[in-house]
């Protein structure tokens, strides 16, 4: 695309792949802000799906509040896009 650098274009492609995988699989591993330690904490609590993230009412113990906010917002964004389809 004209006016977009190669690095920006690659970034858009990676984001599109991540969002598509999140739509298709619905698993928490594709959410922004997710890292291995948070993933492990959630798996121990039997939280595997994006929809389950949206039902959590309290900040899970051991999860940074800023990262949790990013994860929840991304889950909401993905769910809202999935509902449109």
């Amino acid at each position: 695309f004209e006016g977009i650098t190669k690095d920006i274009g690659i970034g858009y492609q990676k984001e599109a792949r991540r969002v598509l995988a999140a739509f298709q699989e619905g698993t928490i591993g594709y959410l922004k802000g997710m890292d291995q330690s948070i993933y492990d904490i959630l798996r121990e609590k039997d939280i595997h799906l994006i929809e389950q993230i949206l039902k959590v009412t309290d900040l899970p113990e051991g999860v940074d509040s800023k990262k949790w906010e990013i994860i929840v917002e991304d889950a909401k964004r993905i769910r809202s896009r999935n509902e449109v389809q």
Side-chain angles (χ1 to χ4, degrees):
F1 295 101
E2 194 170 316
I4 296 178
T5 66
K6 182 178 179 180
D7 289 340
I8 291 173
I10 289 171
Y12 287 152
Q13 286 177 336
K14 286 181 180 180
E15 176 67 2
R17 286 187 194 112
R18 183 190 70 80
V19 171
L20 181 61
F23 281 152
Q24 291 175 335
E25 295 185 28
T27 59
I28 62 174
Y30 294 102
L31 294 174
K32 281 186 181 178
M34 186 66 62
D35 61 25
Q36 190 63 51
S37 64
I38 296 172
Y39 183 82
D40 292 342
I41 290 168
L42 296 176
R43 296 281 301 206
E44 286 176 12
K45 297 180 180 299
D46 205 30
I47 297 172
H48 308 279
L49 302 174
I50 291 170
E51 287 298 318
Q52 290 174 297
I53 291 280
L54 298 173
K55 293 178 183 174
V56 175
T57 56
D58 296 322
L59 177 67
E61 188 176 333
V63 178
D64 177 75
S65 62
K66 295 276 187 192
K67 285 189 175 185
W68 183 248
E69 186 177 317
I70 292 167
I71 290 167
V72 171
E73 286 305 311
D74 196 42
K76 288 177 182 177
R77 183 174 65 103
I78 287 170
R79 183 187 66 182
S80 70
R81 288 185 178 180
N82 202 17
E83 290 173 353
V84 171
Q85 293 180 351

